[in-house]
Amino acid sequence: AQSVTQLGSHVSVSEGALVLLRCNYSSSVPPYLFWYVQYPNQGLQLLLKYTSAATLVKGINGFEAEFKKSETSFHLTKPSAHMSDAAEYFCAVSGTTTGTASKLTFGTGTRLQVTL
Amino acid sequence: NAGVMQNPRHLVRRRGQEARLRCSPMKGHSHVYWYRQLPEEGLKFMVYLQKENIIDESGMPKERFSAEFPKEGPSILRIQQVVRGDSAAYFCASSSGSGQYFGPGTRLTVT
């Protein structure tokens, strides 16, 4: 069984400040981990994914995340927030094999607000 | 290369009617997943299909919901006799085996 916990349903940062969105996972098998972003009334866009290669993963729009097995965490960071980063962010986990293990289990999401 | 396409984008149905949601995967992708997003919630897995086969339907409600991915044409999620509680955004994602890419979703409103 797999699950994801996103700490903080709402996060507010100032423009130019560090963005840190927290994600902890639970998995009985080696996981793949993902961050997606959703803008209002749109679908999900893949930001980055961890698939058991490098533990520090760089994604689009300046985001990155680090897989820490000892802490079962996959937190998303960006050094300097931009107004356009305001959106809903979802962390997700899947198994590493194909078939039934490939379905994504999502966290409940974190809404990022960026203020001037 | 076109992304995942879903239609319609918005669908309004009265209680008791049928809803058909279509998903065309990215070119070269043979795996399709359907997810449902209720208001103010995350996405919940419904069903995973490959061409002509249902691989995992553990997230599908036992009644009124069905899905298919025929040899030719898009994947279809069908909801019979819709109820108010079916109002949600339905997203499909396609994959070639590494990472899932999402469509824009169909927003179903049941009146």
Side-chain angles (χ1 to χ4, degrees):
Chain A
Q2 298 174 313
S3 66
V4 169
T5 301
Q6 291 184 241
L7 295 174
S9 58
H10 290 81
V11 170
S12 181
V13 301
S14 301
E15 190 175 35
L18 171 72
V19 175
L20 171 60
L21 304 183
R22 299 178 186 275
C23 172
N24 288 88
Y25 70 92
S26 173
S27 179
S28 57
V29 297
Y32 284 171
L33 291 155
F34 307 82
W35 276 99
Y36 285 87
V37 61
Q38 184 180 32
Y39 296 99
N41 298 316
Q42 294 187 27
L44 276 71
Q45 182 181 10
L46 180 64
L47 273 179
L48 49 80
K49 60 183 177 182
Y50 166 76
T51 56
S52 70
T55 56
L56 181 62
V57 181
K58 293 188 184 298
I60 61 172
N61 302 340
F63 285 94
E64 64 180 38
E66 185 171 9
F67 172 69
K68 291 187 177 180
K69 184 177 179 180
S70 62
E71 299 177 9
T72 60
S73 69
F74 191 58
H75 301 330
L76 181 71
T77 60
K78 181 174 180 177
S80 177
H82 191 272
M83 296 296 288
S84 60
D85 294 327
E88 186 97 21
Y89 292 80
F90 292 96
C91 182
V93 63
S94 77
T96 59
T97 58
T98 57
T100 59
S102 64
K103 65 187 177 189
L104 291 169
T105 300
F106 284 88
T108 51
T110 298
R111 189 175 300 275
L112 176 65
Q113 181 182 21
V114 182
T115 59
L116 287 171
Chain B
N1 186 15
V4 178
M5 300 178 69
Q6 290 187 249
N7 66 79
R9 293 291 307 275
H10 300 274
L11 182 61
V12 180
R13 284 287 178 267
R14 292 201 180 104
R15 280 180 294 171
Q17 291 185 319
E18 178 180 287
R20 282 187 181 231
L21 288 62
R22 295 175 183 77
C23 170
S24 296
M26 289 177 69
K27 187 176 181 180
H29 287 191
S30 60
H31 307 248
V32 166
Y33 304 77
W34 285 93
Y35 296 84
R36 177 166 63 176
Q37 184 178 33
L38 294 169
E40 304 301 319
E41 292 187 18
L43 280 75
K44 295 284 198 295
F45 167 78
M46 298 182 74
V47 62
Y48 164 37
L49 311 103
Q50 292 182 20
K51 283 288 187 181
E52 299 184 277
N53 288 302
I54 296 175
I55 307 301
D56 181 354
E57 56 181 348
S58 59
M60 287 278 270
K62 293 287 184 277
E63 297 177 347
R64 302 187 296 108
F65 285 72
S66 62
E68 63 177 12
F69 189 16
K71 186 176 180 180
E72 301 290 339
S75 175
I76 307 284
L77 179 67
R78 182 182 178 206
I79 311 172
Q80 295 178 291
Q81 299 176 317
V82 296
V83 300
R84 288 242 172 93
D86 297 333
S87 295
Y90 292 82
F91 292 95
C92 83
S94 75
S95 172
S96 60
S98 175
Q100 294 180 28
Y101 296 86
F102 283 77
T106 293
R107 279 158 182 82
L108 172 65
T109 302
V110 179
T111 62

